[in-house]
Amino acid sequence: MADQPRYNRRSRNITEGVSRSPNRSMYYAMGYEEADFSKPMIGVANGHSTITPCNSGLQKLADIAIASIKAAGGNPQVFGTPTISDGMSMGTEGMKYSLISREVIADCIETAVNGQWMDGVVVIGGCDKNMPGGMIAMARTNVPSIYVYGGTIKPGNWKGKDLTIVSAFEAVGEFTAGRMSKEDFDGIERNACPSAGSCGGMYTANTMSSSFEALGMALPYSSTMANPDDEKVGSAAESARVLVEAVKRDLKPRDIITRESIENAVSLIMATGGSTNAVLHYLAIAHAAEVEWTLDDFERVRLKVPVICNLKPSGQYVATDLHKAGGIPQVMKLLLDAGMLHGDCITITGQTIAEQLADIPSVPDPKQDVIRTIDKALYAQGHLAVLKGNLSPEGCVAKISGLKNPVITGPARVFDDEYTAMDVILADGIKPGDVLVLRYLGPQGGPGMPEMLAPTAALIGKGLGESVGLITDGRFSGGTWGMVVGHVSPEAYLGGTIALVEEGDSVTIDAHQQLIQLNVADEEIARRRALWKQPAPRYTRGVLAKFAKLASSASKGAVTD
């Protein structure tokens, strides 16, 4: 996409050259004065809603951003964006709308910004798909932009133990296994989420927001602040002011989102133990920015960047602990000093990464255990491994942090939907050594590539996290850990090998060899392929049907354009 004209973009219209445009009449209806037409029009994409705690605390951030834009000499114009709560829709048909909402959010922002010919945009969001959806739109429209994250939730507590939303999902497995009392089950359910804000571990929302700091599209420290705290409001105000300055300098997203800055973001994701969803989303962000970035690039970064943050789901701490320990700037400073970041990348502030980190200590506070030094890393290499083999020739993603041995060969337990799998898990029908295969859950087959947190959390609750494998062409929650492999491509609905697995087949997951393999003779696989027939689509109308027709492979980000 060619660069857009500089502001005031809306002055370029079919009446250009006429002393008074009829377009202006509608602005007067909104209270414009004559002087306002010389000011940049700044969009405020407001994700506030009462659907989810992730987004219920956003209005105060939108309000302060509006005031800050006015004070900085801009004209704020507010519009809404939708959201789907992954945590609330998990395990239901509603979960199929989650990834689709990423594309809907991107389309909404692109439509408003380009349709109203805005000069810049502040995007405010909280839930998982708000972040990549907003960033995709920023890259598409390429007008000066900044991301304002709604902030993390504070940890819940039950009987002295810190909780996150994943605690509630894992409690289901523990309760049904008879390893938890009804009192504790109810206590965890009622106390896991104590305030507004996004899920507290290094799950998808905090993974994406943290990576936006490293990408250069959000202010330092902004991604680990808690939504209820006053500093979050102050950061939103400063973000809006910085954005107006970026409009004046014509500093655009594609000046910032480059191959090198995406590598910075992915390095940060590896260092913090972030979500598998980041792989899917950065493929999509790179596509929108027209930057070359593939699954192989994730593996290249993984091999050189260690995990140095002790964060949930596989570690001990949550985002508010990370914030107290020095936040993302402290993590980035360690990576920069180790030669694992491109310090010359420009940021939305106009400073380079190296300039922003100049005053950050080279060694984190020794009294904390959230951020480790490179020489004391939790894992010597990153945790998001790209596996390939006859089960996934295009590649798939395994999250291997927290595992003693990320290798398993076992009999396949095959399910064409997650609900049947969940019933079998809760009924103790899965045994150590089994490899669950959950299929027809990809971008087109799901459709919408739903997350499998319910079955994976149930396995953890049953004590099977280390001894049972799970393979799917769907996705995983950022809260998932265990011997799990997602994003298998090609997906089952398109005739990928995962569609040909039969109950009892031997399957291997080997993160050391980066291998995912169906241990069946090639001739037998060919015979099964000749007999396979594509199932009828699950939806034929509406947004689910549209996504199923348009979505690319997960190996390319499941994009729709």
Side-chain angles (χ1 to χ4, degrees):
M1 183 184 295
D3 288 349
Q4 305 289 358
R6 283 199 65 182
Y7 86 96
N8 193 330
R9 295 206 307 154
R10 64 188 181 283
S11 68
R12 298 171 63 90
N13 55 53
I14 59 173
T15 61
E16 194 164 20
V18 179
S19 60
R20 285 290 183 268
S21 164
N23 303 45
R24 293 159 63 107
S25 298
M26 299 184 77
Y27 288 103
Y28 283 125
M30 296 186 294
Y32 267 53
E33 302 292 340
E34 180 65 29
D36 290 329
F37 291 100
S38 63
K39 299 175 182 177
M41 181 192 289
I42 308 297
V44 178
N46 182 8
H48 173 80
S49 74
T50 58
I51 291 173
T52 166
C54 309
N55 291 55
S56 64
L58 300 187
Q59 189 58 49
K60 63 184 180 182
L61 307 184
D63 291 341
I64 195 66
I66 291 165
S68 185
I69 290 167
K70 289 179 179 177
N75 265 328
Q77 298 295 326
V78 186
F79 58 95
T81 63
T83 196
I84 295 296
S85 170
D86 292 33
M88 291 174 173
S89 64
M90 197 74 67
T92 74
E93 283 293 288
M95 185 66 228
K96 294 179 179 180
Y97 286 87
S98 169
L99 181 60
I100 294 173
S101 74
R102 182 191 74 180
E103 302 299 295
V104 173
I105 291 164
D107 291 349
C108 284
I109 296 172
E110 177 190 352
T111 299
V113 170
N114 279 350
Q116 293 298 125
W117 215 232
M118 295 173 183
D119 301 308
V121 62
V122 176
V123 180
I124 305 172
C127 208
D128 291 9
K129 305 310 172 292
N130 297 177
M131 263 72 71
M135 195 58 64
I136 289 167
M138 292 175 178
R140 284 184 193 169
T141 59
N142 201 32
V143 302
S145 311
I146 194 167
Y147 204 96
V148 174
Y149 179 45
T152 185
I153 200 170
K154 293 190 174 185
N157 189 278
W158 176 248
K159 293 185 177 180
K161 181 181 179 181
D162 281 350
L163 303 173
T164 70
I165 184 61
V166 176
S167 305
F169 280 92
E170 293 181 356
V172 173
E174 292 190 67
F175 180 65
T176 58
R179 298 165 57 195
M180 178 179 289
S181 69
K182 181 69 161 57
E183 177 193 9
D184 287 339
F185 179 76
D186 291 342
I188 289 171
E189 181 181 56
R190 290 172 180 157
N191 292 280
C193 299
S195 69
S198 299
C199 300
M202 192 48 68
Y203 310 146
T204 303
N206 284 328
T207 296
M208 296 307 297
S209 67
S210 296
S211 72
F212 287 176
E213 284 194 41
L215 187 66
M217 291 295 291
L219 293 190
Y221 299 103
S222 63
S223 68
T224 51
M225 295 173 179
N227 177 268
D229 292 346
D230 290 342
E231 65 176 347
K232 185 73 254 184
V233 176
S235 177
E238 178 63 8
S239 296
R241 187 198 67 78
V242 165
L243 188 276
V244 174
E245 291 302 312
V247 171
K248 293 175 181 177
R249 294 196 309 271
D250 198 30
L251 178 58
K252 301 185 293 294
R254 295 197 194 184
D255 300 324
I256 299 169
I257 305 173
T258 63
R259 182 171 169 83
E260 289 74 23
S261 71
I262 290 177
E263 184 166 321
N264 285 349
V266 173
S267 295
L268 189 280
I269 291 163
M270 295 294 179
T272 55
S275 168
T276 54
N277 283 312
V279 176
L280 195 73
H281 298 328
Y282 268 97
L283 289 168
I285 290 167
H287 173 79
E290 297 184 295
V291 171
E292 183 181 348
W293 191 265
T294 69
L295 275 176
D296 291 337
D297 289 309
F298 287 97
E299 185 61 23
R300 174 176 58 82
V301 175
R302 182 187 77 84
L303 293 174
K304 69 177 184 178
V305 178
V307 179
I308 59 173
C309 292
N310 186 12
L311 296 167
K312 290 179 182 292
S314 54
Q316 294 178 259
Y317 300 102
V318 295
T320 51
D321 298 315
L322 176 59
H323 192 61
K324 293 172 186 174
I328 296 305
Q330 182 65 81
V331 181
M332 291 176 65
K333 183 59 175 271
L334 295 174
L335 296 178
L336 180 68
D337 288 350
M340 297 176 186
L341 286 187
H342 299 281
D344 57 348
C345 287
I346 197 72
T347 73
I348 189 62
T349 67
Q351 291 184 305
T352 64
I353 291 290
E355 289 170 340
Q356 282 193 346
L357 299 176
D359 296 330
I360 304 298
S362 293
V363 179
D365 187 339
K367 294 190 291 292
Q368 56 79 44
D369 187 42
V370 185
I371 305 171
R372 306 281 186 89
T373 53
I374 300 292
D375 62 320
K376 295 180 180 178
L378 279 81
Y379 307 98
Q381 295 177 327
H383 62 299
L384 300 179
V386 175
L387 312 185
K388 293 184 179 181
N390 68 354
L391 250 177
S392 186
E394 291 181 10
C396 54
V397 182
K399 190 173 187 178
I400 59 176
S401 57
L403 295 174
K404 295 183 181 70
N405 182 27
V407 178
I408 188 172
T409 295
R413 302 298 308 279
V414 181
F415 303 93
D416 289 349
D417 62 80
E418 68 171 302
Y419 313 117
T420 306
M422 189 68 176
D423 290 342
V424 173
I425 293 168
L426 294 180
D428 296 323
I430 301 299
K431 306 302 180 186
D434 287 346
V435 179
L436 280 74
V437 178
L438 276 65
R439 63 192 183 189
Y440 294 103
L441 295 165
Q444 295 186 34
M449 211 178 173
E451 292 180 351
M452 298 293 107
L453 177 59
T456 57
L459 289 171
I460 298 297
K462 291 281 188 180
L464 298 171
E466 293 275 1
S467 60
V468 167
L470 192 153
I471 296 169
T472 181
D473 49 7
R475 296 183 296 129
F476 294 115
S477 162
T480 295
W481 70 276
M483 185 73 70
V484 296
V485 182
H487 309 193
V488 169
S489 303
E491 62 176 286
Y493 185 76
L494 297 181
T497 307
I498 190 173
L500 310 178
V501 181
E502 295 182 357
E503 186 82 8
D505 283 347
S506 173
V507 173
T508 294
I509 303 169
D510 188 336
H512 294 316
Q513 297 188 59
Q514 298 166 247
L515 177 69
I516 182 166
Q517 189 79 9
L518 174 61
N519 301 311
V520 171
D522 291 344
E523 295 79 8
E524 173 61 16
I525 293 174
R527 185 190 69 80
R528 295 179 189 180
R529 192 178 303 281
L531 296 173
W532 177 83
K533 293 182 180 180
Q534 186 179 66
R538 286 173 166 156
Y539 294 87
T540 57
R541 299 185 66 186
V543 69
L544 290 171
K546 291 178 186 177
F547 186 86
K549 291 177 181 178
L550 295 173
S552 71
S553 167
S555 65
K556 298 184 181 300
V559 298
T560 55
D561 68 327

